Amino acid sequence: METARRVFRSYGFSPIDTPALEYAEILTGKGGDESDKQLFRFKQGDRDVAMRFDLTVPLARFTAQHLATVGTPFKRYHIAPVWRGENTQRGRYREFVQCDFDTIGTDSNAADVETLLVIHDLLVALGFERFTIRVNNRLILNGVLSKLDLLDQSVGVLRALDKLAKIGADAVVAEMVERVGATEAQARQVLELANPNITLDQLQTMLEGNEIGLLGVSRLRELFTAIATAGIPAERVALDVSIARGLDYYTGTIYETFLGDLPSIGSICSGGRYDNLAGLFTKERLPGVGASLGLDRLLAAMEELKLLGTQATPAPVLITQFDAARLGDYLRIGRALRAEGINAEVYPDVKKLGKQLQYADRKGFKLALIAGSDEFATGVWQIKNLGNGESQTISEADLVKTIQVLLSK
Amino acid sequence: METARRVFRSYGFSPIDTPALEYAEILTGKGGDESDKQLFRFKQGDRDVAMRFDLTVPLARFTAQHLATVGTPFKRYHIAPVWRGENTQRGRYREFVQCDFDTIGTDSNAADVETLLVIHDLLVALGFERFTIRVNNRLILNGVLSKLDLLDQSVGVLRALDKLAKIGADAVVAEMVERVGATEAQARQVLELANPNITLDQLQTMLEGNEIGLLGVSRLRELFTAIATAGIPAERVALDVSIARGLDYYTGTIYETFLGDLPSIGSICSGGRYDNLAGLFTKERLPGVGASLGLDRLLAAMEELKLLGTQATPAPVLITQFDAARLGDYLRIGRALRAEGINAEVYPDVKKLGKQLQYADRKGFKLALIAGSDEFATGVWQIKNLGNGESQTISEADLVKTIQVLLSK
């Protein structure tokens, strides 16, 4: 989360927070599909309230309400818990943290391109090297379906297409013919979209004369050109016309992100462009684009790929304590290290060195500082490298510098 | 919050988070004083749950439950919302954020001293210069009351003492005599504790022969010695034997922190030592010490003292956009700045410069980068200083370096 915050901020996204509780009517929206959302809903006094089940509805409410203050483009990130009354299972909890970022109030493709850059830089900052951001644009699909006169059947078409991996091409074609009323030729053309080797040129040919579809192609073309110039390695971004991500919400660019070393875990960062964020709350049209980092999946992946440190302390240096009368000196050295940006903890009790080093090992400290009466008498400190067990004796004047060098190794 | 996290981590405190919802019986504890806590309580399925009303009860539950994993000393910070069904008013909300840090599992005075150091460094990091951390030790009060044979009446004594500022010394003495059954001489001796000029030496004399009280004096003496050695300016810490902070919870050192420029706002960081954190949840005795930063008060104070930046963006640099075909170049420069730790935002739309600079002003960007066809043709960028309106033209090779220099001013 610290890394995500840092990357979001580096792109100019500001943090927002909204209350955990919203009026229930805000969360249920127009529809009566409350049970789908598995709301935690209750009366607080005479208020009918519920705990937010995602960060999107609160964002819509917040943006509509504070539009005059925040203005557009409005770039925000929000990392916060949401609640759903689900049955818990491995990787699914009733309370879990969502991590969203969005750019609201612009139709510009620049925001779509930047969204991809943020996803890319975020994964690199987290320590991933092998990953693919798959991109699509819903306009392409709409264009193809519209050319085939199947736009009204898009739900059924996509439902069939989604089964491709499971039931194979022929069965998908059969389903489109039977249930959607497509001809076999139409079905085969739709199936072409799932061809992993399809190119933007081929799509452009397929979509000739269809303005909407061609807009999708040209926006993706611009995206690929811009990210290459911006320095994103080509192998980390791939066209995938088969991804759709929810039929009603996304209307333009779509992103899904898969780990090269762990594709089976699914997309760890997904999102897309939408036409209107807050239609329920304001008449002002608010187009936007954003993505959501799947923290639970991500953590599972980082654990499996050993990208999570074993440190259980945010401090690399433990200052052991030998002589209670010297507490001020231990604390003074701690502050001297912190002043140079080195996190340091002073062990609170005067215990046997073995006990203190055992604590240091368990927590994953890198260095331990040791000073008793001999050291104080001569103005030196012992530095014990907990990685290789080596010790050295250093004058206090050189202590901070030496520790900086040791930690940079 | 970012600053608080950084300071807590620099002292080796680790973040924890606990669920917003706990089983109601955890939060109500033994007593039936649920209404005091103004719980948001409801049924979720067949579970009787409630939203946490503070971070202390969840910490106690968490520590008791995970003691074998976290071990002691256990240093944690927790910045998270809590909920209380109060009537809202200025500065009082039903959802508000608490910001706590604690060291658990040690009786050592080193942890008490460190707690004071954290409070000090935190306020300095937030930009405060004039503040006083007032310290006391509950043992001193207990010692004085015990010497006067009033220990059993401590609640009544303190209730009277608390009114000193409001009703004056004579009325306090009268109340102690009438309601607590103290003699006038006893009452006058208790009143001596509220003397702002009292010294540890005087307290030592007062407490002669009383072991508990003298332990309180010696721990405070050790604290003042250690913080002086550790480099804390003497004027920022003061003995104040009159502070008590809740009768039943704190048992040792007590902290309250007042701003020199805004004392009327009350204590902005308070805490103390307690004997046993989690008696309700484990038989293991868990002594500890910690403090809580009052975020709402703190923000009000920072706003009043103009310590809050006017920036509404975490990025100092806005890269304006002139030529959509050059999007990749704008994004590339953005990434080059970020690689050097400079947050930068690319304006998403190709709009008139005036519009883009208006956005930059409103959000508080410090510098705007400008490049159109002329600049791209000659490989230069314009940097506009939004503070003084000055512009300069810089070759792309020198761009990052120049921006670093401008931002460091």
Side-chain angles (χ1 to χ4, degrees):
Chain A
M1 288 192 252
E2 294 278 344
T3 303
R5 280 189 204 106
R6 183 164 46 78
V7 173
F8 295 151
R9 295 167 72 90
S10 81
Y11 277 86
F13 290 85
S14 295
I16 71 162
D17 205 0
T18 64
L21 294 172
E22 298 271 357
Y23 287 111
E25 61 179 353
I26 296 282
L27 297 185
T28 53
K30 269 186 210 151
D33 54 350
E34 179 186 349
S35 60
D36 292 352
K37 291 165 187 166
Q38 302 165 299
L39 284 187
F40 284 13
R41 181 175 182 170
F42 59 99
K43 287 265 183 186
Q44 200 272 316
D46 54 358
R47 284 173 292 273
D48 179 11
V49 296
M51 298 171 84
R52 65 179 168 226
F53 63 93
D54 74 2
L55 301 179
T56 303
V57 178
L59 172 65
R61 196 265 306 150
F62 177 94
T63 310
Q65 197 170 346
H66 300 290
L67 195 57
T69 314
V70 299
T72 57
F74 173 44
K75 297 171 75 170
R76 84 85 174 83
Y77 68 87
H78 194 179
I79 305 176
V82 302
W83 294 268
R84 294 180 193 174
E86 313 202 63
N87 288 324
T88 55
Q89 57 185 63
R90 193 166 136 61
R92 183 186 289 178
Y93 309 99
R94 291 196 195 93
E95 170 173 336
F96 57 99
V97 174
Q98 288 198 333
C99 174
D100 290 8
F101 67 99
D102 287 83
T103 303
I104 294 156
T106 175
D107 289 304
S108 167
N109 201 25
D112 303 48
V113 178
E114 189 183 69
T115 300
L116 188 145
L117 257 52
V118 174
I119 297 173
H120 176 271
D121 290 359
L122 180 51
L123 288 176
V124 171
L126 289 167
F128 293 103
E129 281 169 15
R130 297 187 58 230
F131 60 86
T132 311
I133 306 169
R134 304 191 160 272
V135 290
N136 186 16
N137 193 308
R138 279 296 310 269
L139 298 178
I140 291 176
L141 185 70
N142 289 351
V144 168
L145 294 183
S146 142
K147 277 203 81 168
L148 296 173
D149 238 351
L150 289 172
L151 198 51
D152 291 346
Q153 278 79 45
S154 63
V155 174
V157 170
L158 284 167
R159 196 169 290 151
L161 198 59
D162 257 357
K163 298 182 187 162
L164 181 61
K166 217 157 73 185
I167 62 178
D170 290 343
V172 169
V173 169
E175 179 168 329
M176 285 192 199
V177 170
E178 277 168 42
R179 302 211 189 154
V180 185
T183 66
E184 179 161 345
Q186 285 176 323
R188 297 266 169 214
Q189 268 208 275
V190 172
L191 215 56
E192 194 44 32
L193 291 176
N195 169 3
N197 299 316
I198 201 165
T199 64
L200 286 174
D201 287 341
Q202 288 171 314
L203 288 167
Q204 185 155 354
T205 309
M206 273 175 81
L207 286 161
E208 214 169 298
N210 181 288
E211 251 182 69
I212 286 181
L214 288 176
L215 178 60
V217 172
S218 80
R219 284 181 75 119
L220 280 178
R221 211 184 274 284
E222 188 182 35
L223 177 141
F224 279 101
T225 308
I227 62 170
T229 309
I232 305 294
E235 68 272 19
R236 287 188 176 149
V237 186
L239 176 67
D240 182 348
V241 197
S242 74
I243 57 173
R245 291 207 61 71
L247 300 177
D248 23 3
Y249 189 59
Y250 293 114
T251 54
T253 316
I254 292 170
Y255 318 86
E256 292 197 341
T257 311
F258 295 90
L259 296 176
D261 298 313
L262 214 57
S264 61
I265 209 162
S267 173
I268 54 162
C269 192
S270 310
R273 170 167 282 284
Y274 39 87
D275 262 349
N276 197 6
L277 172 70
L280 282 178
F281 307 115
T282 173
K283 281 180 183 158
E284 186 140 356
R285 191 179 77 94
L286 287 171
V289 57
S292 185
L293 187 68
L295 283 175
D296 290 320
R297 277 186 189 178
L298 188 81
L299 280 172
M302 291 179 77
E303 199 161 15
E304 192 153 342
L305 299 175
K306 308 215 186 310
L307 291 173
L308 288 177
T310 52
Q311 270 192 293
T313 168
V317 179
L318 180 71
I319 302 170
T320 60
Q321 207 188 150
F322 270 79
D323 183 352
R326 290 293 193 159
L327 175 60
D329 291 297
Y330 298 119
L331 296 172
R332 178 175 53 81
I333 291 299
R335 294 188 79 227
L337 289 169
R338 286 176 209 115
E340 295 300 319
I342 301 168
N343 294 350
E345 174 170 335
V346 176
Y347 193 82
D349 295 282
V350 178
K351 282 193 182 166
K352 282 189 183 149
L353 183 60
K355 275 273 181 201
Q356 299 188 53
L357 293 181
Q358 201 179 320
Y359 171 80
D361 270 343
R362 184 163 59 77
K363 289 280 181 180
F365 286 91
K366 296 198 169 74
L367 304 175
L369 300 194
I370 302 166
S373 49
D374 290 357
E375 283 82 3
F376 284 116
T378 51
V380 298
W381 288 75
Q382 270 190 60
I383 307 176
K384 189 176 172 73
N385 185 326
L386 298 166
N388 59 21
E390 284 170 16
S391 285
Q392 50 185 307
T393 303
I394 301 288
S395 74
E396 188 171 307
D398 294 330
L399 189 61
V400 173
K401 210 173 54 195
T402 308
I403 289 172
Q404 277 173 325
V405 172
L406 286 170
L407 290 177
S408 68
K409 277 179 190 167
Chain B
M1 287 193 252
E2 294 278 344
T3 303
R5 280 188 202 105
R6 183 164 46 77
V7 173
F8 295 151
R9 296 167 70 92
S10 80
Y11 276 86
F13 290 83
S14 296
I16 71 163
D17 205 359
T18 64
L21 293 172
E22 299 271 355
Y23 287 112
E25 60 179 354
I26 297 281
L27 297 185
T28 53
K30 268 186 209 152
D33 54 350
E34 179 185 348
S35 59
D36 292 352
K37 291 165 187 164
Q38 302 164 298
L39 285 186
F40 284 12
R41 181 174 181 171
F42 59 98
K43 288 266 183 186
Q44 200 272 314
D46 53 359
R47 284 173 293 273
D48 179 10
V49 295
M51 298 172 85
R52 65 179 168 224
F53 63 92
D54 74 2
L55 301 179
T56 303
V57 178
L59 172 65
R61 197 265 305 149
F62 177 94
T63 309
Q65 197 171 346
H66 300 291
L67 195 57
T69 315
V70 299
T72 56
F74 173 45
K75 297 171 75 170
R76 84 84 174 84
Y77 68 88
H78 194 178
I79 305 176
V82 303
W83 294 267
R84 295 180 193 174
E86 314 203 61
N87 288 323
T88 54
Q89 57 185 63
R90 193 168 137 57
R92 184 186 288 176
Y93 309 98
R94 292 197 194 93
E95 170 172 335
F96 57 98
V97 174
Q98 288 198 333
C99 174
D100 290 7
F101 68 98
D102 287 85
T103 303
I104 294 157
T106 174
D107 288 304
S108 168
N109 201 25
D112 303 46
V113 179
E114 189 183 69
T115 299
L116 188 145
L117 257 52
V118 174
I119 297 173
H120 176 271
D121 290 359
L122 181 52
L123 288 177
V124 171
L126 288 167
F128 293 102
E129 281 169 16
R130 295 188 58 228
F131 59 87
T132 311
I133 307 170
R134 304 191 160 269
V135 290
N136 186 16
N137 193 308
R138 278 298 308 270
L139 299 178
I140 292 175
L141 185 70
N142 289 352
V144 169
L145 294 183
S146 141
K147 277 201 82 168
L148 297 173
D149 238 351
L150 290 172
L151 198 50
D152 290 346
Q153 278 80 44
S154 63
V155 174
V157 169
L158 284 167
R159 196 168 291 151
L161 198 58
D162 258 358
K163 297 181 187 164
L164 181 61
K166 220 157 71 185
I167 63 177
D170 290 341
V172 169
V173 168
E175 180 168 330
M176 283 193 200
V177 171
E178 276 167 42
R179 301 212 191 152
V180 185
T183 66
E184 180 163 343
Q186 284 176 324
R188 296 268 168 212
Q189 268 208 276
V190 172
L191 215 57
E192 194 44 32
L193 291 176
N195 169 4
N197 298 316
I198 201 164
T199 64
L200 286 175
D201 286 340
Q202 288 170 314
L203 287 167
Q204 186 156 354
T205 308
M206 271 176 81
L207 287 161
E208 214 171 296
N210 181 286
E211 250 181 71
I212 287 181
L214 289 175
L215 177 61
V217 172
S218 79
R219 284 182 74 118
L220 280 178
R221 212 182 273 285
E222 187 182 37
L223 177 141
F224 278 100
T225 308
I227 61 171
T229 309
I232 304 295
E235 68 273 18
R236 286 188 177 149
V237 187
L239 177 67
D240 183 348
V241 197
S242 73
I243 57 172
R245 293 206 60 70
L247 300 175
D248 23 3
Y249 189 59
Y250 293 114
T251 54
T253 315
I254 292 169
Y255 318 87
E256 291 197 342
T257 311
F258 294 89
L259 296 176
D261 299 312
L262 213 58
S264 61
I265 208 162
S267 174
I268 55 162
C269 192
S270 311
R273 169 166 283 284
Y274 38 87
D275 261 349
N276 197 6
L277 172 71
L280 282 178
F281 307 116
T282 173
K283 282 181 183 158
E284 186 141 356
R285 191 179 78 92
L286 287 172
V289 58
S292 185
L293 187 67
L295 283 175
D296 290 320
R297 278 186 189 178
L298 188 81
L299 282 171
M302 291 178 78
E303 200 161 13
E304 193 154 341
L305 298 176
K306 307 217 184 312
L307 292 172
L308 289 178
T310 52
Q311 272 193 290
T313 168
V317 179
L318 180 71
I319 302 170
T320 60
Q321 210 188 147
F322 269 78
D323 183 351
R326 290 293 192 155
L327 175 60
D329 290 299
Y330 299 118
L331 296 172
R332 178 174 55 79
I333 292 299
R335 293 189 78 229
L337 288 169
R338 286 176 209 115
E340 296 300 321
I342 301 168
N343 294 350
E345 173 170 336
V346 176
Y347 193 82
D349 295 281
V350 178
K351 283 194 181 165
K352 284 192 182 144
L353 183 60
K355 276 271 182 203
Q356 299 189 51
L357 293 182
Q358 201 179 321
Y359 171 81
D361 270 342
R362 185 164 58 78
K363 289 280 180 179
F365 287 91
K366 296 198 169 74
L367 304 175
L369 299 193
I370 302 165
S373 47
D374 289 358
E375 284 81 3
F376 284 117
T378 51
V380 298
W381 289 75
Q382 268 191 61
I383 306 177
K384 189 176 171 72
N385 186 326
L386 297 166
N388 58 22
E390 284 171 15
S391 285
Q392 50 185 306
T393 303
I394 301 288
S395 74
E396 188 172 309
D398 295 328
L399 189 62
V400 174
K401 210 173 54 195
T402 308
I403 289 172
Q404 276 173 326
V405 171
L406 286 171
L407 289 177
S408 68
K409 277 179 189 168

